[in-house]
Amino acid sequence: MALIVQKYGGTSVGSVERIQAVAQRVYKTVKAGNSIVVVVSAMGKTTDGLVKLATEISPNPNRREMDMLLSTGEQVTIALLSMALQELGQPAISMTGAQVGIVTEAEHSRARILHIETTRLTRHINEGKVVVVAGFQGTSSAGEMEITTLGRGGSDTSAVAIAAALRANFCEIYTDVPGILTTDPRLVAEAQLMDSITCNEMLELASLGAKVLHPRAVEIARNYGVPLVVRSSWTDDPGTWVTSAKPQGRSLINLEIARPVDHVEFDTDQAKVALLRVPDKPGVAARLFGEISRQKVDVDLIIQSIHEGNSNDIAFTVTTPILKRAEAVTAAIAPALRSQSNPKFDEAEVMIEHNIAKVSIAGAGMIGRPGVAAKMFATLAEAGVNIQMISTSEVKVSCVVNAAECDRAVLALRSAFEIEAKSKGELLTPNPCTDAINRVSPANPYTDAINRVSPHSSPTPPVRGVALDLNQARLAIRQLPDRPGMAAKLFGLLAQHNISVDMIIQSQRCRVIDGVPRRDIAFTVSRMDGENAKKMLTQVAAELGWGEVVLDSAIAKVSIVGAGMIGQPGVAAKMFEALAQQQINIQMIATSEIKISCVVAQEQGVKALQAIHAAFELAGSEKFVVPA
């Protein structure tokens, strides 16, 4: 017998008929010998309707009252589903987040789960009841017992958190698509269904806007080793498994806020190659990295900063043994990148920097927790370490620093994030999260479906999915002083205002103004935070000594994700070439080990995604139609 947590989204419970169909599915699962907890969202567009009512009353409704209002949507669903199960002869009981014992921060509209009191929940399960839980909600830990909501994707988060707290055998997320697809089927009908995906890959796709799972839910699954499967509410197909590594004895207290960083990593065998003043036009990155790929030069980090005039800077890191080859390729192609539109334009300049190191913090939910990267930057500043390049992702934040400062940086970060060092000289490399699912009862009929999915059963393609985020804005700060502590101040301010930052790009060009070396820095934030961030940063610009703050909301971010791209020189080149063939100009580039992201013009976002998806041959033979 297995203990299973199932979650059904708003579409799956959008009508009486669909609620009855869910009840039938739950009943069938119980009759197969399983204990079930069901987490549900509000019916269909109920939440949207409640938000509309609130805005008709007030243009800026109080967040506490919004939580009180929005939490009612799920209560309707739990009562109706419990009634439907009882009509089938299955004992069931509905419970709100408070009744289940979901305790959260006292933060209305975006609370994180602190812990779950499972005593009452366990008692009902042991009595043979199906417990139907209202997702998306909890109560604050303070004596006032305030109702709180978890924010977007909150029902996913509730379900996986309950599965972790109960040590359930696995958690099923039922939705309106057959599983996790290579991209949004609304944009590419031939998107291909994946049998399995690692938790790190799923975290990246979820943070990039793949709506099938919320990043916080995947983060909990990763941290607590919860086997997770995404399946269709309309079929009995096996869906997609999100595979997790074995949990590392993590406490269930402070469930969503404890220990965001698991490892500190470093690599001193690095060098940087930069091209300054390359033309800002389609095809430049494709040409450069196409030649690099043909010469079998494996690149690590890639960044392209915001344009200045008609040119950009592109920089990348390589391992020291192949630096000579990388330098030769870059120097050979630099003259060909001279601007054709302006004969007086300076030739692209190649700049080589030896003696650098990459220092990283690894964990989960880096982008979703604004304070994590800010703490890293502040720690390096306090240690007197200047940051030359920054790479961010959901599972890792990396900084390129002077090699002579690497040991000092690593020791400071280990201390700040309370990470114990491993054996001397050992690189602290995290588990790539590809362990097979291992906590399912062998007597359970679900076991066969799980055992068929093995991340090692076939060669992993370099790219698993393509994502498009149309809800980002870019902020650029001109002439930021290039000295330790500036990144810490900048991103610390944003963290204090609870503004999450995604891509971060420092320009490679340095100007000395009034005796102070300065660089531009650009980063992306949620579009809804763009104006507030610009206003706040402009107010402190003079005090902190930086220049103009520029906001651009007409951007799109298109990304590829895949653990198999490590050690594959041609992946970036293929992505850039796909964009060049569509005459799509790349405005910014940022990479991590398993992700490459490009910022393009907003109106070209969909075309960019479709071109990249086709270039990597990710289309399947079947067309998916998402139900209304």
Side-chain angles (χ1 to χ4, degrees), residues 118-129:
T118 59
T119 305
R120 187 176 178 185
L121 187 56
T122 302
R123 187 179 79 244
H124 288 306
I125 293 169
N126 291 338
E127 291 170 353
K129 297 174 185 173

Side-chain angles (χ1 to χ4, degrees), residues 207-209 467-472 502 527 555-559 609:
S207 72
L208 292 166
L468 175 66
D469 191 344
L470 293 168
N471 295 308
Q472 294 224 331
D502 189 356
R527 187 171 298 160
I555 65 165
K557 184 179 73 172
V558 61
S559 307
L609 176 136

Side-chain angles (χ1 to χ4, degrees), residues 86-391:
Q86 290 161 8
E87 283 297 304
L88 295 173
Q90 171 59 47
I93 183 169
S94 61
M95 299 179 73
T96 65
Q99 291 171 321
V100 167
I102 298 176
V103 180
T104 74
E105 302 170 303
E107 185 73 44
H108 289 293
S109 80
R110 54 178 181 232
R112 289 184 177 269
I113 297 172
L114 299 178
H115 63 277
I116 301 176
E117 302 282 356
T118 59
T119 305
R120 187 176 178 185
L121 187 56
T122 302
R123 187 179 79 244
H124 288 306
I125 293 169
N126 291 338
E127 291 170 353
K129 297 174 185 173
V130 171
V131 184
V132 185
V133 179
F136 176 65
Q137 61 181 254
T139 56
S140 67
S141 57
E144 291 83 0
M145 292 289 289
E146 290 287 313
I147 291 175
T148 56
T149 62
L150 308 182
R152 188 174 67 85
S155 293
D156 287 352
T157 304
S158 299
V160 183
I162 289 171
L166 291 173
R167 293 181 168 82
N169 293 91
F170 53 91
C171 180
E172 297 179 313
I173 305 292
Y174 284 92
T175 183
D176 53 6
V177 291
I180 298 166
L181 303 170
T182 50
T183 195
D184 187 342
R186 298 168 183 85
L187 302 179
V188 180
E190 298 82 9
Q192 190 173 176
L193 179 67
M194 294 182 250
D195 290 334
S196 68
I197 187 170
T198 68
C199 53
N200 281 358
E201 289 170 323
M202 190 63 237
L203 259 175
E204 297 290 9
L205 286 172
S207 72
L208 292 166
K211 297 179 178 62
V212 68
L213 273 175
H214 194 270
R216 284 169 59 184
V218 185
E219 181 182 338
I220 297 169
R222 177 192 186 277
N223 288 340
Y224 292 94
V226 177
L228 190 61
V229 61
V230 179
R231 305 179 65 188
S232 170
S233 297
W234 326 113
T235 72
D236 291 323
D237 294 340
T240 305
W241 287 93
V242 182
T243 59
S244 303
K246 288 184 179 180
Q248 302 176 0
R250 186 182 288 263
S251 171
L252 287 164
I253 303 300
N254 292 331
L255 190 146
E256 275 203 274
I257 65 172
R259 212 179 76 197
V261 175
D262 296 323
H263 306 277
V264 176
E265 303 169 19
F266 61 93
D267 183 357
T268 55
D269 194 23
Q270 294 251 319
K272 180 173 70 175
V273 181
L275 271 85
L276 310 186
R277 297 184 297 277
V278 298
D280 180 33
K281 63 181 182 180
V284 170
R287 194 168 181 183
L288 170 62
F289 288 99
E291 187 58 35
I292 286 172
S293 171
R294 282 187 286 277
Q295 298 301 322
K296 306 298 183 186
V297 174
D298 191 15
V299 171
D300 186 0
L301 301 182
I302 303 171
I303 66 165
Q304 177 182 305
S305 60
I306 53 171
H307 68 87
E308 183 174 338
N310 295 317
S311 68
N312 274 322
D313 302 334
I314 299 178
F316 56 93
T317 61
V318 295
T319 57
T320 304
I322 62 172
L323 174 60
K324 291 290 186 185
R325 197 160 14 124
E327 184 177 359
V329 173
T330 308
I333 199 171
L337 299 179
R338 183 184 294 115
S339 173
Q340 301 300 314
S341 59
N342 185 355
K344 296 181 180 179
F345 194 80
D346 290 336
E347 181 178 318
E349 176 188 351
V350 179
M351 183 174 69
I352 307 296
E353 188 159 352
H354 304 266
N355 302 319
I356 63 168
K358 183 175 71 172
V359 181
S360 309
I361 54 173
M366 300 289 182
I367 292 172
R369 302 190 194 189
V372 176
K375 184 176 180 178
M376 181 186 192
F377 303 151
T379 299
L380 294 177
E382 288 167 10
V385 176
N386 197 34
I387 300 169
Q388 300 179 26
M389 294 171 71
I390 299 171
S391 166

